[in-house]
Amino acid sequence: MGQNNLLEHAKEIWHKAYVPYSKFRVGAAIRTKSGKIYQGCNIENAAYPVTCCAERVAIFKAISEGELEFDRLAVVADTDRPVPPCGSCRQVLSEFCEPHMEVEIANLKGDVKVMTMEQLLPFSFTPKDLEAGQEG
């Protein structure tokens, strides 16, 4: 598997998703600006609110290793259309990813759509909004 093929990394981790309740597997891979790739899969829990999505697992793994700058994200699921990140994942990603960063959303049928973070979450709430509220 090529080091730069994020979608293949997302597909690889997709198989490891822990989804005993929904049976809805999602795999994600995020590449840092330093070139490292972190994979994540969704992990469910019987207490549904504490379930963690694949995108957040990948980015949290990277952050826990000291990586804070990201280059690209890929997400894949066995869906009819390319699978988009949920709202919670979009908000977490907007905290760490630049608006122009590209996100590959895909399904296992080979359909792929590339969008920017700005397209996924326009007019997002960011750390800059907190800074503005603290002035004065």
Side-chain angles (χ1 to χ4, degrees):
M1 168 179 351
Q3 180 68 4
N4 293 325
N5 192 337
L6 280 184
L7 194 51
E8 291 302 316
H9 286 273
K11 287 177 184 176
E12 175 186 272
I13 196 75
W14 175 85
H15 294 284
K16 295 181 180 178
Y18 177 76
V19 292
Y21 310 106
S22 72
K23 310 293 189 237
F24 186 78
R25 295 178 183 279
V26 181
I30 193 162
R31 184 176 59 218
T32 66
K33 288 187 178 179
S34 68
K36 293 181 183 174
I37 295 174
Y38 293 87
Q39 296 171 300
C41 59
N42 53 325
I43 302 168
E44 294 182 344
N45 190 284
Y48 293 152
V50 297
T51 292
C52 196
C53 298
E55 300 92 324
R56 285 183 281 152
V57 170
I59 199 166
F60 292 163
K61 284 171 65 175
I63 292 165
S64 73
E65 295 294 322
E67 297 281 356
L68 295 173
E69 295 183 340
F70 301 96
D71 178 63
R72 192 174 182 96
L73 171 73
V75 184
V76 67
D78 190 10
T79 51
D80 288 334
R81 67 178 184 155
V83 66
C86 75
S88 295
C89 288
R90 292 177 198 210
Q91 183 59 46
V92 168
L93 291 165
S94 75
E95 177 85 10
F96 299 98
C97 303
E98 296 171 4
H100 65 272
M101 188 187 91
E102 291 184 337
V103 177
E104 290 177 78
I105 59 175
N107 61 19
L108 295 179
K109 299 174 187 177
D111 300 321
V112 179
K113 184 172 184 171
V114 178
M115 302 180 75
T116 65
M117 278 302 307
E118 177 67 27
Q119 291 170 316
L120 283 171
L121 188 61
F123 200 63
S124 62
F125 186 82
T126 69
K128 290 180 182 176
D129 293 303
L130 290 176
E131 293 168 10
Q134 296 173 357
E135 295 175 358

